[in-house]
Amino acid sequence: MNQIEFRKATVADIPQLVVMREMQLRDEGLACDYDIKQDLFTYFTDTMTDGTFIAWLALCGDVVVGTSGVIFYRLPPHYNNPTGHIAHISNMHTLASRRRQGIATTLLNKVIEEARARGCIMVRLNSSKEGRALYIRFGFYEKNNLFEFML
């Protein structure tokens, strides 16, 4: 395996984050109904600038082979989370040709450390079928009481 370098993404990396996010969505079988590039670019610019989203990159040379991200937000405190601070992992994606090489595990550790450094005691995520085993192995558990309503 070629040497993989891991580093925190900067605003200059947003074009690569957009490309990887689009790949992730397609790999997960989501419909490509419209060009989402500008929406993703705006999201990453806004949230990386205000610090509510932090991303990590896995690089092999100059090629991004994996990404991970963590979104920080706050809900009203409750008994399981007295501060209400939540870290939501997003944008976990590794190129198909580079899977099963420990890249996702390292990226997951990076965003968990970001959450820990911010004082979060609760970490959430949504998983693709491919990522499920990694998250379970890491200690995540499923909670099935989430409902959605589309406006």
Side-chain angles (χ1 to χ4, degrees), residues 75-86 119-124 141 143 145:
L75 296 174
H78 57 85
Y79 298 119
N80 291 336
N81 187 354
T83 67
H85 291 286
I86 307 274
C120 294
I121 61 169
M122 182 175 286
V123 179
R124 293 180 173 170
Y141 58 91
K143 288 180 78 173
N145 65 347

Side-chain angles (χ1 to χ4, degrees), residues 85-128:
H85 291 286
I86 307 274
H88 188 101
I89 295 174
S90 181
N91 282 38
M92 286 287 299
H93 186 68
T94 304
L95 296 181
S97 64
R98 301 309 296 246
R99 292 181 185 155
R100 309 263 185 262
Q101 298 175 16
I103 294 169
T105 300
T106 299
L107 288 168
L108 183 58
N109 274 309
K110 298 283 189 192
V111 292
I112 295 271
E113 283 307 311
E114 294 284 349
R116 188 173 282 121
R118 293 243 188 145
C120 294
I121 61 169
M122 182 175 286
V123 179
R124 293 180 173 170
L125 57 80
N126 299 90
S127 177
S128 66

